[in-house]
């Protein structure tokens, strides 16, 4: 059977526009703690299956580093 392109998994990073927009909003936070909470929340909400596949969704202790986005 032939496979359609719609049957193939999306490439890593596909559909990360909402995450990138959320991370940009986090940059406007006025203190490091608020920014860190914002970044972690955005990543957990938007990374899905992209953990470890794109720079915005690292699989390490950097998940909690507000300066790594």
């Amino acid at each position: 059977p032939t496979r359609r392109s719609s049957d193939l998994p999306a490439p890593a990073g596909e559909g990360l526009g909402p995450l990138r927009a959320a991370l940009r909003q986090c940059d406007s936070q006025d203190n490091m703690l608020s920014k860190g909470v914002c970044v972690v929340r955005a990543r957990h909400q938007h990374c899905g299956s992209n953990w470890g596949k794109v720079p915005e969704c690292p699989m390490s202790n950097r998940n909690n580093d507000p300066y790594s986005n």
Side-chain angles (χ1 to χ4, degrees), residues 32-55:
M32 189 175 71
L33 181 60
S34 296
K35 181 179 178 180
V37 169
C38 182
V39 167
V40 170
R41 186 175 292 143
R43 287 177 174 159
H44 283 279
Q45 183 177 0
H46 297 289
C47 282
S49 63
N50 287 305
W51 286 106
K53 297 177 184 175
V54 295

Side-chain angles (χ1 to χ4, degrees), residues 4-57:
R4 297 176 297 197
S5 61
S6 61
D7 294 337
L8 300 174
E14 187 77 19
L16 288 180
L19 170 63
R20 291 178 179 137
L23 291 174
R24 281 192 300 275
Q25 286 184 343
C26 293
D27 285 337
S28 68
Q29 296 294 318
D30 58 353
N31 67 59
M32 189 175 71
L33 181 60
S34 296
K35 181 179 178 180
V37 169
C38 182
V39 167
V40 170
R41 186 175 292 143
R43 287 177 174 159
H44 283 279
Q45 183 177 0
H46 297 289
C47 282
S49 63
N50 287 305
W51 286 106
K53 297 177 184 175
V54 295
E56 296 89 347
C57 302

